[in-house]
Amino acid sequence: MATDVLIIGGGITGAGVLLACARRGLSAVLLERGRPGGVTTAASSGLIHGGLRYLPYDAPVTLECCQESGWILERFRPLLRRQPFLWPSFEGGHGVDTAETLLELYDELQPLKGGRPHVRLTAAEARVLVPALSGDGLRGGVTFDEWAVDARALVAAVIAETSHGETRVLKGEVTAFDMEGGRVTGARLADGTALAARVVINAAGPWADRVAALAGGRAPLTLRKGVHLVLPGDHGPWAVLFADETGRTVGLYPRPGTAWVGPTDDAFTGDP
């Protein structure tokens, strides 16, 4: 018997689709070749952010990010921790007034995700919060907050919420699709298992094009390589935004026992 929906890829996207199916009374199978949430999702910084970076040029996306963050907060609050940010201003870079103007707009959306209003700081106040900041050229800063989560734990929690429905999570890798009249009707796994489905959803992340190719299709992607530098030890509770040597904004993100610095965002053409 065919399931209503077969989802290929068990990251946060695939898990979210599984939950959407369960809430609509659809039968669904989530297929993941490894541990759900264990690859692309796990390699993220774990931020549940409101899309501040998009606000200057795509405010509707920021609105959607804040709404989605609020939805996650409402349903998975025990998994989330508040992540305060310090955005310092140095001579030769952006001004405190510029940053504060942006955050005044962001404050209008913060209630959607349980965020707190920004605070403007003097240089001395900024160094009290983050003593490692250089005082050379420091003009002050602003604070704002986001939420952070263990991404793999969030995937597990989303999948657990589907247990009341007709859903299954299977481990396996698709090697071929069954086709009928140019339409995908099921998938074949490496172990010989055949899965029939009314609808097949490709949620394979950076591998989406390879999955699509098995059905003679394309999911053309421009892959980007995001790399974090992982620093051991306790670096305090504050995340810090700053410009790297190229002028690109990166951040230091505290995590249990480490801090991540990054990410880079470079074009990538190799194996995902």
Side-chain angles (χ1 to χ4, degrees):
M1 181 177 176
T3 189
D4 289 325
V5 182
L6 172 62
I7 306 154
I8 301 171
I12 190 61
T13 301
V17 174
L18 186 72
L19 180 57
C21 291
R23 289 183 167 171
R24 289 161 175 78
L26 300 172
S27 60
V29 173
L30 177 65
L31 184 64
E32 167 57 42
R33 64 182 179 180
R35 175 183 175 182
V39 188
T40 308
T41 300
S44 73
S45 61
L47 282 180
I48 306 295
H49 67 82
L52 173 63
R53 64 187 296 183
Y54 312 122
L55 188 55
Y57 60 89
D58 201 342
V61 171
T62 304
L63 172 61
E64 187 174 353
C65 286
C66 287
Q67 291 171 331
E68 185 73 6
S69 296
W71 184 90
I72 295 171
L73 177 66
E74 177 184 340
R75 289 159 178 79
F76 302 105
R77 177 64 182 89
L79 296 179
L80 272 60
R81 66 183 188 278
R82 194 176 292 276
Q83 180 56 69
F85 273 79
L86 171 62
W87 190 7
S89 172
F90 290 90
E91 292 178 5
H94 69 273
V96 180
D97 289 342
T98 300
E100 186 168 41
T101 298
L102 182 63
L103 287 170
E104 284 173 347
L105 295 174
Y106 198 47
D107 285 349
E108 298 296 318
L109 300 175
Q110 283 278 25
L112 294 174
K113 62 182 186 65
R116 294 170 177 166
H118 81 279
V119 175
R120 180 168 179 154
L121 304 174
T122 66
E125 290 169 335
R127 294 195 72 196
V128 168
L129 296 182
V130 182
L133 279 179
S134 170
D136 186 16
L138 180 64
R139 296 183 295 192
V142 287
T143 70
F144 64 97
D145 72 344
E146 304 287 9
W147 296 96
V149 69
D150 179 327
R152 283 179 291 194
L154 180 61
V155 170
V158 171
I159 291 174
E161 279 217 358
T162 72
S163 60
H164 63 278
E166 297 181 62
T167 63
R168 292 183 294 158
V169 178
L170 300 180
K171 184 173 183 177
E173 183 174 358
V174 176
T175 56
F177 286 114
D178 293 325
M179 309 286 293
E180 185 176 314
R183 180 175 172 273
V184 176
T185 59
R188 302 273 174 169
L189 308 189
D191 64 1
T193 301
L195 299 171
R198 291 170 53 204
V199 174
V200 177
I201 295 179
N202 181 353
W207 294 273
D209 196 30
R210 294 187 183 185
V211 171
L214 296 175
R218 287 294 313 279
L221 301 174
T222 300
L223 297 182
R224 307 293 295 181
K225 178 176 64 174
V227 177
H228 290 86
L229 176 66
V230 180
L231 307 177
D234 182 4
H235 295 265
W238 287 86
V240 182
L241 297 182
F242 57 94
D244 69 8
E245 292 180 350
T246 69
R248 178 170 50 188
T249 298
V250 295
L252 181 145
Y253 306 97
R255 296 165 69 96
T258 64
W260 287 24
V261 178
T264 62
D265 183 22
D266 302 316
F268 183 72
T269 58
D271 189 323

